[in-house]
Amino acid sequence: MSSSTAAVAAEAAAKVEWGDMVVISGVVIGAATFLFRKYLFGGKKTPELTIAQKTAIAQAKKLTADTTSEYNSDRDFVLKMRKAGKNVVIFYGSQTGTAEDFATRLAKDIQSAAVRPLVLDPELYDWQCVASLGEDELALFVLATAGEGEPTDNMEAWFNALVSDRESPEDSDLPNFRQPEDKPDFDADSPLLGVSFAVFGLGNNTYEHFNHHARLVDNRMQALGAMRIGERGEGDDDADIEEDFARWKDATLPLIRHFLGSSTPPESGDEAATPEPTWMVIELEAKVVWDKGEFSEEAVHAFDARHPYAAPVTAAVDLTPTADRHLLHVEVDLVGSGLHYESGDHIGVYPTNADEEVDLLLSALGLLAKADTPISVSATDPFAAQQSLFPVETTTYRAAFRHYLDITTPVPRAQIKALVLPHARSEAARSFLRPLADNKDAHAAIVSAGCLSIARLINAVREAERQAALPADSGEGQVPFVLPVEAALELCPRLQARLYSISSSSRVRPDRPTITAVVLQYDAKSESSAESTKPDTTRRCGVATNYLLGALRYLRGDRAVQLEATDGSLRSRSGVLLASNEELPHTADASTVAPVYDSKAHMVQSFTLQPLAGTTLADRHLTMPVFIRKSAFRLPADPATPIIMIGPGTGLAPMRGFIQERAQMAREAPGAPMGTALLFFGARTQEHDYMYRAELETLFADIRESAPESRIITAFSRDQAQKIYVQHRLAEHADLVYRTLLCGQEKLGGASRAHIYVCGDAKSMAKDVTHALVVLIAGREGVSEDVASKWISDMRRLSRYQEDVWS
């Protein structure tokens, strides 16, 4: 480039940068003014920033499409609806895939000549277009609540527009909706007049902010003038979210049909015609086949949840070798990926289904003989938001069931009724399936308790036919049960990533996040008399943790067989088969082989793995698809702030990262002020379940050099006749806990300046810990438990009481 050309380019770049800076400065100043308007203009003292406020300021620094972009017809969902001839749009706010699955099923249930739904991801469309919905159109929201009452990632922009003030949602500003050309009487104060909607929320009542996302969206839509049809549905994952969803649909769908001019629901039940498939499967003669679980056909340079990084697994250890269960420590390498984590973040792992489960389904569907046939799966609706089921154009039946679909989940009752029962042609099959579809107690006792996946349900139906002595071909009306592969694909949810609290410190190991997880296995209990003839009928294995256990076994040198797709046999495929069972490489169906159990009585599953490119089987190098999910679970910025950590079991994971970080700070700056760090750790027994013991003792010795009262306080529930848990230890050490909460004050008189962290079980432990702290504070301060509870709530609001819990 010549010097004159470079000068011109530099001048142009400077002009562009100056213009951008003006806009950015305006956005940042406006955001800051908005966040603190009550304090700038209301005479209030500026408060300590909460994590939510800090995040909002950071987001405001970006030029977001919400405020600066011009109209983009590709993001106009109303325009898309009308072009496709649809009159209902269903938006899902989904973090784990359940809400997306519910939205897809809802569209199927409501479809008729008068009700024409379109399912869309709100992240891909502009909220400003909501006001353009006509009086004969309808928006449905299926919204999960994430974290502590937060919206899901894909609903963040919509939620922020509707709820600009999260502390006082009723004080939120009016969103700047786009004024529709066909509404001359558009009211800027009630911009959603004439807009109708319905909403179903997905939550868990063990969390404080149950269904908060759906409730706020519902309230704000109505406050802006929209009319809700029916009651707001609230699903509870701690009880029976499927039944909650079914009840809401039973009550709401007739109202929706009436609103759209249809009084007759589509045919339902086992006498209905076979449902139209959502997906079309085409078998191909393809030269390029993506069968290793790829998430993109193109090279990816920026990794995220949709494009995970194939991270080398650098370590895998069983932390409790003498216990009766596997407690794993797994480490991955992020060097060169561009991914970065902070202590307290989560790591997402995309697992692989075990070979036994994959072959069980392939066999049930009659696909074993062509398991490695290239296939393409596309939507039958040309206007469907998702045109391809998989992230790659061409894969195989085996790869689809191994990498992309959740094939082990019990089949929901509504799905049995809609997608399985219509394919039953024999009376024996119909008699077996009808109660499972119509009676929630029968479904709970047989399908849920028995963990009947699609494959196991198919086999149970066939066993019922066998017991009824149904001949192989007994004429019309008595045809043996066959489930089409298209129906099976619709029944399988997408295989979701599992999120784990990172158990390492980014300050100490910036490129080597670690996972700490217990391997899940249990025996299913079913009242069904139609048991499968397969060798294993009771043992069930968690998908992700057994995948991690497979990685451990592979790295330590367990038996693995190199598989090459050369001879066209039933098991011809590439990769490495990790299997302790000698028979597996020699059989067409891994599910027919008797299971093998290890020294801990755990069933040993087999996995076909893809070692690191360029390595041999002897090298034992392995990768797994991962990404980083940012979290608000953070240490205080000032290391002089005391911290109290309660993390029983694998709830220790993020606390280990925090402890590593505090110890490193103490080593880097000896003598610098550091707050007391208390860890309350609980497990079953000290001898068998005390993970990371030597490391924790060393780390706390380093911390005590700067914060002498820091210590580990343990609760081993089974080491004495009466069980003792972490909440009991909090009460026993009330003086130390209270002194830590005081932060040098004589009395609290309100929210403590210390930070409390709780990680683990949400259903019981987290609630018991909160109650123990309320009782402790009330007793020491001489106030009522209601007052102490309010102080804890204030700590939550100020991000000083944080929970990373699950149910």
Side-chain angles (χ1 to χ4, degrees):
M1 181 185 291
S2 68
S3 59
S4 60
T5 304
V8 171
E11 182 180 354
K15 290 178 179 177
V16 172
E17 290 173 2
W18 172 249
D20 287 348
M21 286 304 298
V22 171
V23 176
I24 293 170
S25 299
V27 171
V28 174
I29 293 170
T33 302
F34 165 74
L35 283 169
F36 300 106
R37 63 196 185 283
K38 297 176 184 176
Y39 305 95
L40 292 173
F41 311 118
K44 294 186 179 181
K45 182 181 177 182
T46 302
E48 176 183 340
L49 281 177
T50 66
I51 287 176
Q53 289 170 326
K54 292 175 183 176
T55 302
I57 287 179
Q59 290 175 339
K61 293 179 181 178
K62 301 178 182 178
L63 291 173
T64 65
D66 298 342
T67 56
T68 63
S69 65
E70 296 295 327
Y71 170 75
N72 183 347
S73 61
D74 291 337
R75 295 182 61 85
D76 186 339
F77 68 88
V78 178
L79 181 63
K80 183 181 181 73
M81 288 172 63
R82 292 172 182 172
K83 283 184 175 179
K86 308 292 185 181
N87 57 358
V88 177
V89 60
I90 304 177
F91 287 113
Y92 57 86
S94 188
Q95 201 81 328
T96 63
T98 304
E100 181 182 359
D101 179 51
F102 276 24
T104 303
R105 288 159 52 183
L106 178 59
K108 190 93 173 180
D109 292 340
I110 204 173
Q111 174 80 45
S112 70
V115 185
R116 302 177 299 280
L118 181 65
V119 179
L120 297 179
D121 181 347
E123 190 172 26
L124 304 179
Y125 296 90
D126 291 335
W127 56 264
Q128 292 94 333
C129 299
V130 172
S132 299
L133 284 166
E135 293 185 355
D136 56 350
E137 294 170 326
L138 179 67
L140 303 182
F141 294 93
V142 182
L143 305 176
T145 295
E148 293 300 308
E150 298 298 313
T152 56
D153 291 346
N154 71 325
M155 266 292 288
E156 185 79 26
W158 286 56
F159 187 83
N160 288 339
L162 291 169
V163 189
S164 58
D165 188 337
R166 297 196 184 187
E167 291 188 13
S168 302
E170 65 278 2
D171 294 334
S172 294
D173 293 337
L174 280 172
N176 187 23
F177 292 108
R178 186 168 294 112
Q179 181 172 347
E181 296 178 358
D182 58 352
K183 292 185 178 181
D185 298 329
F186 181 76
D187 185 348
D189 292 328
S190 297
L192 299 187
L193 277 175
V195 173
S196 299
F197 76 102
V199 60
F200 180 81
L202 296 83
N204 188 303
N205 71 11
T206 60
Y207 293 84
E208 181 181 6
H209 301 288
F210 176 60
N211 266 308
H212 196 58
H213 182 197
R215 290 177 181 181
L216 285 184
V217 169
D218 177 21
N219 292 340
R220 289 295 295 147
M221 288 285 289
Q222 293 190 71
L224 293 167
M227 180 186 72
R228 189 185 68 205
I229 293 179
E231 296 298 318
R232 178 183 63 240
E234 293 192 347
D236 183 5
D237 195 39
D238 189 52
D240 193 336
I241 200 167
E242 286 284 349
E243 288 302 318
D244 295 334
F245 186 48
R247 280 193 296 271
W248 176 79
K249 286 192 301 179
D250 289 344
T252 307
L253 297 199
L255 301 177
I256 292 174
R257 294 188 185 104
H258 178 74
F259 173 78
L260 295 172
S262 172
S263 59
T264 306
E267 278 191 296
S268 60
D270 58 301
E271 302 304 323
T274 302
E276 290 295 322
T278 299
W279 301 105
M280 175 174 56
V281 180
I282 300 176
E283 297 180 358
L284 307 166
E285 291 290 339
K287 293 183 179 180
V288 178
V289 180
W290 307 89
D291 61 354
K292 298 177 177 60
E294 295 88 347
F295 285 82
S296 174
E297 296 179 2
E298 307 294 332
V300 175
H301 303 290
F303 300 101
D304 54 24
R306 297 188 181 187
H307 305 93
Y309 173 62
V313 182
T314 54
V317 179
D318 190 337
L319 294 170
T320 55
T322 62
D324 59 359
R325 59 180 180 172
H326 295 284
L327 179 57
L328 306 181
H329 169 95
V330 179
E331 180 181 286
V332 298
D333 188 352
L334 300 181
V335 171
S337 68
L339 292 174
H340 303 283
Y341 78 96
E342 296 179 71
S343 304
D345 282 343
H346 298 99
I347 186 168
V349 177
Y350 281 98
T352 292
N353 286 309
D355 272 36
E356 290 85 354
E357 294 291 340
V358 173
D359 284 3
L360 186 70
L361 182 52
L362 288 170
S363 175
L365 295 172
L367 294 174
L368 272 174
K370 52 182 181 180
D372 301 295
T373 299
I375 59 170
S376 174
V377 182
S378 57
T380 55
D381 181 354
F383 296 105
Q386 185 182 356
Q387 285 296 305
S388 178
L389 182 57
F390 306 121
V392 292
E393 183 178 350
T394 307
T395 186
T396 66
Y397 289 114
R398 194 190 303 275
F401 293 137
R402 173 179 293 133
H403 298 291
Y404 299 126
L405 299 174
D406 188 341
I407 62 175
T408 61
T409 302
V411 185
R413 186 165 67 92
Q415 296 290 77
I416 293 176
K417 187 169 187 175
L419 295 171
V420 181
L421 186 53
H423 295 285
R425 295 293 176 257
S426 72
E427 184 54 40
R430 288 192 290 268
S431 296
F432 178 79
L433 288 169
R434 276 196 200 103
L436 308 184
D438 296 335
N439 187 306
K440 68 176 184 179
D441 293 332
H443 181 274
I446 296 175
V447 179
S448 298
C451 295
L452 293 190
S453 60
I454 298 170
R456 290 180 174 85
L457 181 63
I458 294 172
N459 289 334
V461 173
R462 290 178 179 159
E463 180 62 18
E465 290 181 328
R466 187 189 68 78
Q467 291 181 7
L470 178 70
D473 186 1
S474 53
E476 187 175 349
Q478 293 295 308
V479 178
F481 180 74
V482 175
L483 187 71
V485 65
E486 292 83 1
L489 293 175
E490 193 167 344
L491 284 164
C492 292
R494 191 186 311 170
L495 185 58
Q496 297 291 334
R498 270 53 169 186
L499 293 176
Y500 297 96
S501 301
I502 296 175
S503 58
S504 55
S505 164
S506 55
R507 192 183 189 96
V508 178
R509 304 279 281 178
D511 298 312
R512 296 285 180 92
T514 60
I515 297 167
T516 305
V518 172
V519 177
L520 176 63
Q521 290 201 7
Y522 57 95
D523 288 322
K525 296 176 175 61
S526 175
E527 297 178 9
S528 171
S529 61
E531 293 294 338
S532 169
T533 56
K534 298 292 183 179
D536 174 60
T537 60
T538 60
R539 183 58 58 92
R540 303 291 182 261
C541 304
V543 176
T545 54
N546 282 274
Y547 168 67
L548 294 176
L549 180 60
L552 179 151
R553 292 172 43 226
Y554 178 72
L555 292 179
R556 77 182 179 191
D558 277 21
R559 183 173 179 271
V561 180
Q562 191 80 43
L563 300 171
E564 293 295 342
T566 55
D567 60 359
S569 69
L570 294 180
R571 296 190 62 82
S572 65
R573 59 192 187 275
S574 61
V576 171
L577 175 65
L578 175 69
S580 294
N581 198 310
E582 293 284 346
E583 298 179 48
L584 275 179
H586 310 293
T587 180
D589 183 357
S591 66
T592 62
V593 177
V596 172
Y597 294 85
D598 65 15
S599 59
K600 297 188 178 187
H602 269 54
M603 189 167 73
V604 180
Q605 291 190 305
S606 306
F607 294 91
T608 298
L609 307 171
Q610 301 296 330
L612 192 63
T615 65
T616 66
L617 177 57
D619 295 327
R620 296 286 172 151
H621 291 310
L622 181 66
T623 66
M624 65 173 57
V626 304
F627 61 92
I628 300 298
R629 172 67 55 79
K630 292 298 178 183
S631 168
F633 203 72
R634 289 281 185 268
L635 278 171
D638 183 0
T641 303
I643 57 174
I644 300 173
M645 300 166 284
I646 301 104
T650 54
L652 175 63
M655 313 308 181
R656 176 177 180 256
F658 288 171
I659 294 162
Q660 286 182 348
E661 190 136 329
R662 279 285 174 100
Q664 183 66 17
M665 289 178 177
R667 289 190 292 264
E668 291 174 354
M674 178 167 287
T676 296
L678 302 180
L679 170 66
F680 288 84
F681 169 68
R684 297 181 302 175
T685 68
Q686 177 173 306
E687 180 182 358
H688 300 296
D689 304 292
Y690 196 167
M691 66 184 102
Y692 300 119
R693 179 177 184 176
E695 177 192 349
L696 290 172
E697 290 173 349
T698 300
L699 292 172
F700 267 93
D702 291 341
I703 294 173
R704 276 194 294 273
E705 293 294 322
S706 299
E709 286 201 307
S710 300
R711 58 179 296 191
I712 310 169
I713 299 167
T714 57
F716 298 106
S717 60
R718 300 184 185 180
D719 278 352
Q720 59 284 313
Q722 185 175 0
K723 290 187 177 180
I724 296 176
Y725 299 107
V726 286
Q727 60 267 27
H728 301 133
R729 296 303 193 202
L730 284 167
E732 290 175 14
H733 295 270
D735 290 341
L736 176 60
V737 172
Y738 182 59
R739 192 161 59 248
T740 304
L741 290 172
L742 284 173
C743 299
Q745 304 174 100
E746 291 187 6
K747 283 283 187 179
L748 283 177
S752 171
R753 293 203 301 268
H755 283 227
I756 298 174
Y757 302 92
V758 182
C759 184
D761 168 51
K763 190 170 185 178
S764 300
M765 182 277 297
K767 292 180 178 179
D768 291 341
V769 164
T770 299
H771 179 69
L773 289 167
V774 165
V775 171
L776 186 156
I777 292 171
R780 290 299 188 276
E781 289 281 310
V783 298
S784 69
E785 290 187 12
D786 287 344
V787 171
S789 182
K790 182 183 181 303
W791 293 355
I792 291 289
S793 296
D794 289 341
M795 290 182 69
R796 292 181 191 273
R797 180 177 56 80
L798 293 166
S799 301
R800 297 180 197 162
Y801 191 112
Q802 297 186 50
E803 293 178 320
D804 181 359
V805 294
W806 55 86
S807 60

